[in-house]
Structure formats: C-alpha cells, structure tokens
C-alpha cells in the first residue's frame, strides 16, 4: 500500500542521489520518483544500489520543458516534491549564466506551476520542498553568521539564479497558497561529488599528480557539511518543517580553502602510504574567481532547536569517509572525468 508519492528532481546528481537513497531505503511505503535530465552532472551510476527497489522509479525529463513536466505530474500525481535539479557550479555560471536562468529559475517555476496545477483543489498533505543554498545570502566579512532572516544579496550568476528561484517559491505560497518549505544549506562534500568542485577536484588531481588550483590567496572560507547529513536534514524538514518556513542547514564547520586542502593532502598521503608533505607540494595558487565571495557561514540554530537536527560526523571523519569512497570508486571518477570534463578543465584552468 503506497502511503505517499514523492517526486525528487535532480536525483541523479550529487546531493539528489543521497536524498533518493535515504528516502527509498527509509520509507519502503513511499513511491519515490526520480526526475532528472541527466546533464553532465547527472549519473545513474550513483543509484546502482537502489535502482531495482520496487518503490523507486526513474523518469528522464528536463524541468525547462513545461509541457513535459505537467505530463509527468499528471501521470505520477506526487503528494510531495523535493526539488534539487539545478545547474550548480559557480564557475560554469560565470561562463554561461543563461543556462542557470533556464534551469534554476524557469525550471523551478515550471515545477511550481505543475504542482499548483494538480494540487490546487486540495493542498491537504501536500508539500513542495525547495533545496537552496547559503550562497543566496552573499558574503560575510570576517565575523557573523547567516540566519534565516539575513537579507538576500547574491553575487554570482549561480547564486542570483538560486535567489530568484527561492523568491518564486515564496511567491507561489503567498499568491496561490502552495505549501512550501525551503532549506538553505552550506557547501556539501562526500561520495559522488562531481570533480569540478574543490574537494573532489583535489582528490582527483592528487591521484593523478596534477596541480591543486587554489583561487586567489586561498583565504576564502566555506562552511562544509557531509552530504549524507544534508540528506537527513532534508528528510527532517520535508516531514516536520513548518509550512512557509526556511531552514538554514550547516554544521558550524568553517574552513579556509587553503587549510582545507592541506588537511586533505595530509589524509591523502596517509591513505596512499606516501611521506607526509608529498601532496601539499602540488598546491598552486591560480587567478581568482571573479566576484568570489569571501566567507559563508551558517547559523544552524533554528533547525537544531526546532527539529533537533545535528550532523552525524565531524569534518575529519566525513573527509576520511569521502576519500575512502573515491579511492574505492576510481572507475566512477575515471568515467566522469573522461570526455567533456577534459575540455571544461582545459578552458577553466588555462594559463
Ligand atoms: P549537481 O550538479 O551534482 O546535480 C544536479 C542534478 O540536476 C543532476 O543530476 C542534473 O542532471 C540535474 N539537472 C540539471 N539540469 C536539469 C534540468 N534542466 N532538468 C532536470 N534535471 C536537471 O548538484 P548538487 O550539488 O547535487 O546540488 C543539488 C541541489 O542542491 C541544487 O539545487 C543546489 O543548488 C543545491 N545545493 C548544493 C550545494 C552543494 O554544495 N553542492 C549546497 C547547497 C545547496
Ligand atoms: P566550490 O567547490 O566551487 O564551491 P562554491 O563556489 O559553491 O563555494 O568552491 C569552494 C571554494 O573553493 C570556493 O571558495 C572556490 C574555491 N576553489 C578553488 O580555490 N579552486 C578550485 O579549483 C575550485 C573549483 C574552487
């Protein structure tokens, strides 16, 4: 007997695959529909372990295609939506901002409209959970934390597109009464992370003896959360969050990029049986990212106090698990770094 049908968008991507796994395994009474366009960042290999489960279905669809999205909603009649599909890499947003407007803004509005279309006569038991980022808040100086009340001040085309999508989500609640919740999470890391992002890129480069490119002076600060802990927070907010509310998700875990990469080098040397100090020699300072936000840091008090949320691992533990996963899944890394990745890498890191 199916208790709920939940449509998860972007479920073949990094975070989405962990959310799909969490829901498929934890809720056998739910039907989980993973809707994904399988862009360069989407990979069904991420879900090999659960793809044959009877409560899991995959649908290939592009959220920018309004007509197709309405058809999918009418066919599957979801009670809940957890929306993660997005263009997610800041550097790509600098070279191709329009792709971010299309997927992150127009795609989100298409999903909101499709949900409104099938739910409008009865919102009882329905919920649209929009997964967003702390980057919408812009940058902090040396001190302070982002709270749910911090004004939006995005700087990159990526964060501007996510901020815009967050505004549309709230507009659908205010205008049509659509039952929404929003989570704004800090930087994630963990298994299946696409190696265009700092941590998996450095793991890949250490394995291949290539330079570790650090933008600017490396003093930029990010707040890192293990991806499985983000999936657990989404589960909690999806089920127990107040309709209409936002929840910041993070682990009070700030690292300057240079210190983080040094810690990664230390752990990689140990795990690869190399003398300490080997990988750190690969660190190379390269030209800075335009509009680079200095510091992100999340105040996760609300989700902790209201919903009892706490991350399950420390950063050192999460990083160790992450490195182990990459060392045990080098085929995955080889597959995603062949083809188009090489071209992207050449253009992004030229000169
Ligand atoms: P990702 O790039 O790894 O995955 C995105 C997924 O969306 C891929 O499977 C891709 O195929 C799919 N997708 C892209 N365009 C699509 C389209 N037009 N139609 C349907 N599917 C499409 O991203 P991620 O890092 O897993 O991020 C997931 C979500 O979480 C995003 O909304 C992102 O903004 C948000 N977020 C990410 C982080 C982070 O650190 N990665 C932190 C906070 C919030
Ligand atoms: P990234 O993983 O791209 O996440 P985001 O930009 O969403 O925070 O980058 C994390 C930090 O690492 C950010 O300050 C930019 C920096 N960075 C580098 O120094 N070198 C790199 O090659 C990359 C990809 C990122």
């Amino acid at each position: 007997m199916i208790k709920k049908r939940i449509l998860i968008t972007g479920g073949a991507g990094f975070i989405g695959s962990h959310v799909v796994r969490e829901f498929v395994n934890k809720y056998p009474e739910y039907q989980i529909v993973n809707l994904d366009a399988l862009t360069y960042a989407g990979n069904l290999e991420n879900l090999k372990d659960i793809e044959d489960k009877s409560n899991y279905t995959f649908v290939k669809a592009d959220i920018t295609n309004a007509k197709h999205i309405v058809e999918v909603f009418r066919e599957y009649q979801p009670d809940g939506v957890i929306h993660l599909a997005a263009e997610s890499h800041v550097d790509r947003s600098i070279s191709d901002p329009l792709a971010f407007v299309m997927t992150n803004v127009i795609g989100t509005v298409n999903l909101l409209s499709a949900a409104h279309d099938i739910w409008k006569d009865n919102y009882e038991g329905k919920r649209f959970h929009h997964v967003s980022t702390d980057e919408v808040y812009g940058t902090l100086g040396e001190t302070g934390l982002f709270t749910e009340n911090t004004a939006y001040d995005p700087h990159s085309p990526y964060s501007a597109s996510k901020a815009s999508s967050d505004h549309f989500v709230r507009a659908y609640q205010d205008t049509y009464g659509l039952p929404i919740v929003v989570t704004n999470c800090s930087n994630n890391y963990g298994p299946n992370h696409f190696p265009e992002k700092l941590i998996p890129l450095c793991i890949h480069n250490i394995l291949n003896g290539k330079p570790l490119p650090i933008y600017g002076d490396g003093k930029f600060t990010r707040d890192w959360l293990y991806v499985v802990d983000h999936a657990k927070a989404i589960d909690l907010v999806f089920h127990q969050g107040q309709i209409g509310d936002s929840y910041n998700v993070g682990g009070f875990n700030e690292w300057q990029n240079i210190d983080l990469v040094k810690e990664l080098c230390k752990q990689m040397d140990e795990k690869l049986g190399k003398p300490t100090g080997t990988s750190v020699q690969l660190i190379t300072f390269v030209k800075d990212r335009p509009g680079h936000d200095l510091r992100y840091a999340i105040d996760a008090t609300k989700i902790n106090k209201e919903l009892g949320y706490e991350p399950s691992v420390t950063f050192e533990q999460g990083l160790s698990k992450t490195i182990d996963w990459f060392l045990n899944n080098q085929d995955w890394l080889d597959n995603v770094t062949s083809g188009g990745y090489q071209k992207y890498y050449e253009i992004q890191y030229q000169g």
Side-chain angles (χ1 to χ4, degrees):
M1 168 72 178
I2 295 172
K3 230 172 115 187
K4 259 184 205 299
R5 282 190 197 81
I6 301 177
L7 183 94
I8 300 180
T9 73
F14 166 46
I15 302 169
S17 60
H18 289 276
V19 176
V20 167
R21 177 174 300 102
E22 180 78 12
F23 275 71
V24 165
N25 287 333
K26 188 168 171 189
Y27 302 108
E29 70 280 20
Y30 290 2
Q31 186 63 33
I32 305 300
V33 179
N34 171 15
L35 182 158
D36 199 295
L38 300 181
T39 69
Y40 79 93
N43 187 350
L44 290 176
E45 285 291 313
N46 297 348
L47 292 165
K48 270 265 166 269
D49 55 320
I50 56 109
E51 68 183 4
D52 293 330
K53 298 242 173 164
S54 59
N55 64 336
Y56 171 74
T57 309
F58 173 70
V59 176
K60 188 167 189 286
D62 185 332
I63 59 170
T64 66
N65 183 338
K67 191 165 163 280
H68 191 195
I69 293 304
V70 167
E71 284 164 11
V72 172
F73 272 69
R74 290 190 180 162
E75 180 177 350
Y76 291 95
Q77 294 287 325
D79 310 291
V81 175
I82 304 177
H83 173 36
L84 297 108
E87 289 292 340
S88 68
H89 190 39
V90 173
D91 293 324
R92 289 185 192 255
S93 82
I94 294 168
S95 45
D96 186 8
L98 206 53
F100 286 67
V101 176
M102 292 306 293
T103 290
N104 300 359
V105 185
I106 311 247
T108 299
V109 175
N110 286 338
L111 291 166
L112 291 163
S113 295
H116 176 57
D117 172 60
I118 61 160
W119 294 344
K120 60 181 179 292
D121 294 332
N122 183 7
Y123 281 141
E124 189 63 38
K126 309 295 192 295
R127 184 168 287 221
F128 190 108
H129 181 149
H130 179 60
V131 177
S132 192
T133 164
D134 60 357
E135 303 193 24
V136 297
Y137 298 122
T139 189
L140 292 161
E142 310 262 301
T143 57
L145 299 171
F146 297 134
T147 74
E148 287 78 2
N149 297 322
T150 303
Y152 277 28
D153 184 21
H155 298 127
S156 72
Y158 165 66
S159 54
S161 68
K162 290 297 290 186
S164 171
S165 68
D166 292 13
H167 290 316
F168 272 104
V169 171
R170 293 206 186 86
Y172 267 69
Q173 150 113 26
D174 295 341
T175 310
Y176 309 108
L178 197 79
I180 61 108
V181 280
V182 179
T183 42
N184 293 85
C185 190
S186 58
N187 283 54
N188 284 212
Y189 69 96
N192 308 101
H193 204 181
F194 195 81
E196 64 190 352
K197 308 274 168 65
L198 182 67
I199 291 178
L201 184 142
C202 287
I203 293 174
H204 180 239
N205 285 11
I206 290 171
L207 288 173
N208 290 283
K210 285 172 65 179
L212 309 179
I214 306 291
Y215 296 161
D217 62 4
K219 300 249 166 75
F220 299 86
T221 301
R222 297 291 182 265
D223 184 347
W224 294 90
L225 185 72
Y226 190 56
V227 64
V228 175
D229 283 330
H230 186 189
K232 289 181 190 305
I234 289 173
D235 176 21
L236 210 54
V237 173
F238 178 77
H239 287 100
Q240 295 175 38
Q242 283 291 330
I243 295 282
D245 269 18
S246 291
Y247 293 84
N248 282 354
V249 185
F252 294 101
N253 177 45
E254 289 181 51
W255 285 78
Q256 281 193 348
N257 294 338
I258 186 68
D259 295 336
L260 184 156
V261 173
K262 284 182 179 164
E263 171 66 24
L264 178 68
C265 288
K266 191 176 103 211
Q267 289 204 20
M268 288 288 286
D269 285 348
E270 274 166 27
K271 288 178 194 286
L272 294 171
K274 292 184 176 169
T276 307
T278 306
S279 299
V280 89
Q281 289 168 28
L282 295 170
I283 289 179
T284 308
F285 291 93
V286 299
K287 77 171 184 311
D288 204 1
R289 171 188 279 173
H292 197 170
D293 286 332
L294 178 68
R295 177 171 165 259
Y296 303 146
I298 279 274
D299 182 347
T301 307
K302 176 176 173 179
I303 189 169
N304 172 261
K305 289 261 171 329
E306 287 188 16
L307 305 179
Y309 174 75
E310 268 181 32
S312 67
V313 291
T314 64
F315 184 65
E316 285 76 3
Q317 289 167 334
L319 193 61
S320 172
K321 279 165 166 290
T322 302
I323 298 170
D324 289 345
W325 186 86
F326 278 97
L327 293 180
N328 292 327
N329 290 275
Q330 291 193 41
D331 287 354
W332 183 94
L333 202 49
D334 290 345
N335 285 341
V336 300
T337 51
S338 60
Y341 180 82
Q342 301 295 341
K343 204 166 162 220
Y344 163 78
Y345 199 90
E346 252 170 56
I347 295 169
Q348 177 63 24
Y349 294 97
Q350 69 194 345

